[in-house]
Amino acid sequence: MARLPGVPSQVARARGLVTAALGRDHPLYDDAALLTSELATNAILHTRSGAGGSFTVTVSSSETAVRVLVSDAGSDGPPCVCRTSAQSTSGRGLPLIEALSHRWGFTREDGTTTVWFELLWSHLSAGMAV
């Protein structure tokens, strides 16, 4: 787990922490990097973490899955998988996580929101079999 300042430059650092933990040859490397960027960006843009706070990134990997959690300083409302127009320049993060991950979710307690996603190796193999 790493705690990072809630500033935009830390999105790359969050992504780097996850990719370093997995290693470049990991088959879920690209998806994990992309989805981590989305969660870190959301933490900075849509929560109190981006107003002088911080957020944490936790990654775990096993022989069958990768799981990443991003915990932030909370917001007034829960994370939203809102649909956006084709012209919108934002709002695609959680729909992307929903589309690419095996599963995802969030918890809210004591002023903190934790959003997580899980990628499975079996989904990767299933996609290649098509």
Side-chain angles (χ1 to χ4, degrees):
M1 178 176 76
R3 181 171 299 280
L4 306 173
V7 295
S9 64
Q10 297 304 296
V11 172
R13 188 165 168 216
R15 184 176 53 249
L17 291 166
V18 171
T19 57
L22 296 179
R24 182 62 189 119
D25 294 332
H26 195 286
L28 298 169
Y29 179 97
D30 291 327
D31 285 348
L34 174 63
L35 299 185
T36 298
S37 292
E38 295 297 336
L39 290 187
T41 298
N42 285 353
I44 293 164
L45 293 180
H46 303 297
T47 77
R48 288 181 274 283
S49 291
S54 63
F55 65 100
T56 63
V57 178
T58 306
V59 59
S60 59
S61 178
S62 71
E63 292 181 12
T64 60
V66 171
R67 186 177 176 106
V68 175
L69 299 85
V70 174
S71 298
D72 59 51
S75 62
D76 293 336
C80 172
V81 182
C82 305
R83 304 297 175 210
T84 60
S85 72
Q87 293 77 28
S88 179
T89 59
S90 66
R92 292 183 177 84
L94 289 179
L96 188 61
I97 288 165
E98 186 174 69
L100 294 179
S101 68
H102 169 65
R103 61 187 184 146
W104 74 280
F106 67 91
T107 58
R108 297 180 72 187
E109 60 182 57
D110 299 327
T112 299
T113 300
T114 299
V115 184
W116 58 270
F117 66 84
E118 189 174 88
L119 300 168
L120 297 182
W121 286 54
S122 62
H123 270 80
L124 184 66
S125 320
M128 291 179 173
V130 173

